[in-house]
Amino acid sequence: MNEITRHNEIVALVNNKGMVKVTELVCHFAISPATARRDISKLDQDCRVKKVRNGIMKVEEKKPIWAPLDITNTDNYHEKARIALRAAKLCHDGENIIINCGSTAFLLGRELCGKNISIITNYFPLASYLIENNHENVIIMGGLYNKSQNIIINPIGNIANAYGGKWMFTSGKALTPTGLYKTEILTAVSEQQMLDKTEKLVVVVDSSKISMKVDAGMLFCPVSKIDVLITGKQADKAVIEAIKHQGVEVILV
């Protein structure tokens, strides 16, 4: 049994039982205690299980107290939730981060709510959630509220000069070896104003959006502009390798 298959079976086992001890993993998979502990550390890092004393526990799905959209019914919800959990681990106390629009972005903002992190966003549902749940530092990029897209658009390009952050998290319609594509031009143009104001660009997309080509959409940025990609383990391996080859750090969850 290879490592990927074993990891998937470990996750299935702990999801079924709720908690599994190291000794159980050793017996069940006929592996050494050292291998079991390495598996546990890797799965915990990938947010697929929770590491506890002498074993692992099932990761409980967090449900929103309040949400401006039916987030749990979004496509690939569980994968997006894992992506958001992993993305949240990149952020540290005192940092300014930018979160753009989308369901994965909303889940990321929910994970960071209440932490000592300044969140800059033009995504109105996320801003509303953070304020409703008493997040201390919420910076809403000024401009015109576009109801159809739930974003706030800067009508004057140089307004974006007032903002900047350590990380910028964004998603899109598709990510190919060429770059990240978005379908909403107004959204894309608004976010492009921020690209040069952040230290690291992180793309958070579920594996269904990783493809070799895209039929339609606007090229938001080339792959060379992306620092980190966080996506699901089911993503197209050929595309992932092509993206890695261009110097992008890829994290699969």
Side-chain angles (χ1 to χ4, degrees), residues 24-221:
E24 292 180 76
L25 294 178
V26 170
C27 293
H28 187 91
F29 295 98
I31 56 178
S32 68
T35 298
R37 291 190 181 92
R38 282 196 299 270
D39 287 345
I40 287 172
S41 294
K42 177 63 176 174
L43 291 169
D44 177 72
Q45 181 182 358
D46 290 343
C47 304
R48 301 181 70 190
V49 302
K50 182 179 180 181
K51 184 178 180 180
V52 295
R53 183 178 177 85
N54 297 323
I56 50 176
M57 288 182 63
K58 175 182 176 181
V59 174
E60 296 295 336
E61 295 282 350
K62 292 184 178 180
K63 299 297 182 181
I65 299 170
W66 172 88
L69 43 86
D70 193 2
I71 197 72
T72 58
N73 286 334
T74 187
D75 291 340
N76 303 310
Y77 167 76
H78 295 293
E79 184 178 303
K80 290 177 179 179
R82 293 197 303 272
I83 291 169
L85 280 167
R86 186 63 182 87
K89 289 189 174 184
L90 296 176
C91 306
H92 298 95
D93 281 359
E95 290 182 341
N96 287 0
I97 69 164
I98 299 165
I99 302 179
N100 294 321
C101 67
S103 54
T104 307
F106 181 86
L107 289 168
L108 171 58
R110 195 181 71 184
E111 288 300 322
L112 296 175
C113 185
K115 297 184 179 179
N116 181 28
I117 291 172
S118 294
I119 298 177
I120 304 167
T121 188
N122 66 343
Y123 190 36
F124 190 70
L126 175 56
S128 298
Y129 176 87
L130 294 170
I131 293 168
E132 182 78 12
N133 287 276
N134 301 312
H135 186 74
E136 187 69 25
N137 299 306
V138 184
I139 302 170
I140 304 173
M141 288 185 275
L144 173 68
Y145 173 60
N146 184 289
K147 184 178 180 180
S148 65
Q149 297 176 38
N150 274 318
I151 64 167
I152 300 167
I153 300 168
N154 291 333
I156 302 172
N158 62 9
I159 287 180
N161 291 333
Y163 307 104
K166 168 75 174 180
W167 304 95
M168 175 173 170
F169 296 90
T170 194
S171 58
K173 174 184 179 176
L175 178 64
T176 76
T178 300
L180 178 66
Y181 289 81
K182 293 178 181 280
T183 53
E184 300 291 349
I185 294 177
L186 287 176
T187 303
V189 171
S190 177
E191 293 176 10
Q192 280 178 331
Q193 297 175 24
M194 300 299 301
L195 281 176
D196 294 331
K197 313 301 176 188
T198 55
E199 294 182 36
K200 300 284 186 180
L201 175 63
V202 183
V203 172
V204 287
V205 291
D206 65 78
S207 56
S208 70
K209 295 178 180 176
I210 305 293
S211 60
M212 194 57 73
K213 60 181 181 179
V214 63
D215 296 329
M218 169 187 170
L219 179 62
F220 173 73
C221 71

Side-chain angles (χ1 to χ4, degrees), residues 7-19:
H7 284 184
N8 288 338
E9 292 195 13
I10 289 173
V11 172
L13 181 65
V14 75
N15 284 344
N16 182 52
K17 297 186 67 174
M19 181 176 178

Side-chain angles (χ1 to χ4, degrees), residues 230-248:
I230 306 178
T231 189
K233 290 181 181 291
Q234 303 305 314
D236 187 305
K237 291 181 174 59
V239 179
I240 291 297
E241 287 304 315
I243 291 171
K244 282 183 178 179
H245 187 69
Q246 298 181 63
V248 178

